[in-house]
Amino acid sequence: MPELPEAEYMVRRLREAAPEARIARVRVLRESVVAGALAKRARGCVTGYARRAKNVLMHLDTGWTVRIQLGMTGHVYRVAGAAELPRFTRVAFVLEVGGALVFEDARAFGTVSAVRTAELGEALAGYGPEPLEAGFRWQDLRAAAQGLRQEVKPFLMDQRRVAGLGNIWAAEALFGAGIHPARRVDGLLDEEWRALWRSVRAVLRRAIANTFRVTAGPEEFPEADLLRVGVYGRAGLVCRRGCGAVVERVVQGARATFYCPGCQR
Ligand SMILES: [Zn+2]
């Protein structure tokens, strides 16, 4: 499932592969992923690509922005030819110069819509702060949990609290901070918030860098284990920190959580 690093990777790749792309027409191959009128509104010249939470945004010179919510399996990238599109293409933005920007989504839980750029802030207002932004301080992470009593892992995955973290990187951030995933947010000490904040930023930055390092092309993502995860998916294996404990798997909020009982308290 795409999280912040994957979305960021897509955006950076698009900036390299299709700067100032001119969209001549839009082919919708699966109506159910499109919200509202898209075909007419998504034509024009792309003036920039951006990311907010797990959304890929394509700003157009027409005053519209194409918003792509990646869902479970969504992926946006440029293909050289538009005649034969990748198998799970749901929407293709056909470029004037040839080729297309494709939204591929095997499970088809993503959505593509056109939003007036001036109204984008409002459309995205439900998301919490961006953890990699320079102005994001440890106090902001603590403030996002104000008044909550939930466990820290589902808190980290809640896009309304902090944007971009999913199951893998929430688990990694907690491992890095030495915090047990079932700890309640109202019980975390300031030094733990500081450690968690530092860890969230570190794991996300590392994930983005490692994605570029190990990925052959923009159309594919590496498996989590290639991204040198510390704890995710490692149930039954010895902790990479060398504490001697064995990584455990529990189910938390219907999602698998991995943690080290030796390092995470
Ligand atoms: Zn350990």
PDB file of all heavy atoms in Angstrom, residues 175 239 241-245 260 262-263, ligand 1:
ATOM      1  N   PHE A 175       9.649   1.395  16.114  1.00  0.00           N
ATOM      2  CA  PHE A 175      10.844   0.584  16.388  1.00  0.00           C
ATOM      3  C   PHE A 175      12.056   1.507  16.583  1.00  0.00           C
ATOM      4  O   PHE A 175      12.817   1.362  17.545  1.00  0.00           O
ATOM      5  CB  PHE A 175      11.084  -0.381  15.220  1.00  0.00           C
ATOM      6  CG  PHE A 175      12.325  -1.229  15.359  1.00  0.00           C
ATOM      7  CD1 PHE A 175      12.442  -2.172  16.372  1.00  0.00           C
ATOM      8  CD2 PHE A 175      13.373  -1.096  14.453  1.00  0.00           C
ATOM      9  CE1 PHE A 175      13.586  -2.962  16.483  1.00  0.00           C
ATOM     10  CE2 PHE A 175      14.517  -1.874  14.552  1.00  0.00           C
ATOM     11  CZ  PHE A 175      14.626  -2.806  15.577  1.00  0.00           C
ATOM     12  N   CYS A 239      15.970  -9.654  16.567  1.00  0.00           N
ATOM     13  CA  CYS A 239      15.978  -8.198  16.419  1.00  0.00           C
ATOM     14  C   CYS A 239      17.270  -7.715  15.779  1.00  0.00           C
ATOM     15  O   CYS A 239      18.354  -8.138  16.153  1.00  0.00           O
ATOM     16  CB  CYS A 239      15.802  -7.547  17.785  1.00  0.00           C
ATOM     17  SG  CYS A 239      15.982  -5.751  17.760  1.00  0.00           S
ATOM     18  N   ARG A 241      18.616  -4.942  16.111  1.00  0.00           N
ATOM     19  CA  ARG A 241      19.369  -4.070  17.002  1.00  0.00           C
ATOM     20  C   ARG A 241      20.347  -4.862  17.868  1.00  0.00           C
ATOM     21  O   ARG A 241      21.139  -4.280  18.584  1.00  0.00           O
ATOM     22  CB  ARG A 241      18.406  -3.359  17.951  1.00  0.00           C
ATOM     23  CG  ARG A 241      17.717  -2.191  17.354  1.00  0.00           C
ATOM     24  CD  ARG A 241      18.174  -0.930  18.076  1.00  0.00           C
ATOM     25  NE  ARG A 241      17.490   0.229  17.581  1.00  0.00           N
ATOM     26  CZ  ARG A 241      16.369   0.703  18.114  1.00  0.00           C
ATOM     27  NH1 ARG A 241      15.826   0.090  19.160  1.00  0.00           N
ATOM     28  NH2 ARG A 241      15.808   1.757  17.612  1.00  0.00           N
ATOM     29  N   GLY A 242      20.217  -6.192  17.829  1.00  0.00           N
ATOM     30  CA  GLY A 242      21.123  -7.014  18.615  1.00  0.00           C
ATOM     31  C   GLY A 242      20.750  -7.126  20.082  1.00  0.00           C
ATOM     32  O   GLY A 242      21.586  -7.446  20.923  1.00  0.00           O
ATOM     33  N   CYS A 243      19.482  -6.865  20.425  1.00  0.00           N
ATOM     34  CA  CYS A 243      19.074  -6.951  21.828  1.00  0.00           C
ATOM     35  C   CYS A 243      18.859  -8.402  22.249  1.00  0.00           C
ATOM     36  O   CYS A 243      18.688  -8.694  23.426  1.00  0.00           O
ATOM     37  CB  CYS A 243      17.801  -6.137  22.066  1.00  0.00           C
ATOM     38  SG  CYS A 243      16.315  -6.929  21.388  1.00  0.00           S
ATOM     39  N   GLY A 244      18.807  -9.312  21.275  1.00  0.00           N
ATOM     40  CA  GLY A 244      18.639 -10.728  21.569  1.00  0.00           C
ATOM     41  C   GLY A 244      17.198 -11.200  21.540  1.00  0.00           C
ATOM     42  O   GLY A 244      16.930 -12.398  21.505  1.00  0.00           O
ATOM     43  N   ALA A 245      16.246 -10.274  21.541  1.00  0.00           N
ATOM     44  CA  ALA A 245      14.828 -10.653  21.515  1.00  0.00           C
ATOM     45  C   ALA A 245      14.401 -11.010  20.088  1.00  0.00           C
ATOM     46  O   ALA A 245      15.108 -10.725  19.119  1.00  0.00           O
ATOM     47  CB  ALA A 245      13.976  -9.505  22.057  1.00  0.00           C
ATOM     48  N   CYS A 260       9.629  -5.218  18.479  1.00  0.00           N
ATOM     49  CA  CYS A 260      10.613  -5.974  19.254  1.00  0.00           C
ATOM     50  C   CYS A 260      10.309  -5.806  20.736  1.00  0.00           C
ATOM     51  O   CYS A 260      10.383  -4.686  21.252  1.00  0.00           O
ATOM     52  CB  CYS A 260      12.023  -5.483  18.955  1.00  0.00           C
ATOM     53  SG  CYS A 260      13.219  -6.233  20.087  1.00  0.00           S
ATOM     54  N   GLY A 262      12.059  -6.588  23.107  1.00  0.00           N
ATOM     55  CA  GLY A 262      13.269  -6.208  23.831  1.00  0.00           C
ATOM     56  C   GLY A 262      13.534  -4.719  23.796  1.00  0.00           C
ATOM     57  O   GLY A 262      13.915  -4.113  24.786  1.00  0.00           O
ATOM     58  N   CYS A 263      13.338  -4.115  22.625  1.00  0.00           N
ATOM     59  CA  CYS A 263      13.707  -2.707  22.432  1.00  0.00           C
ATOM     60  C   CYS A 263      12.542  -1.735  22.629  1.00  0.00           C
ATOM     61  O   CYS A 263      12.769  -0.549  22.831  1.00  0.00           O
ATOM     62  CB  CYS A 263      14.223  -2.474  21.019  1.00  0.00           C
ATOM     63  SG  CYS A 263      15.711  -3.361  20.608  1.00  0.00           S
TER      64      CYS A 263
HETATM   65 ZN    ZN B   1      15.300  -5.435  19.919  1.00  0.00          ZN
END
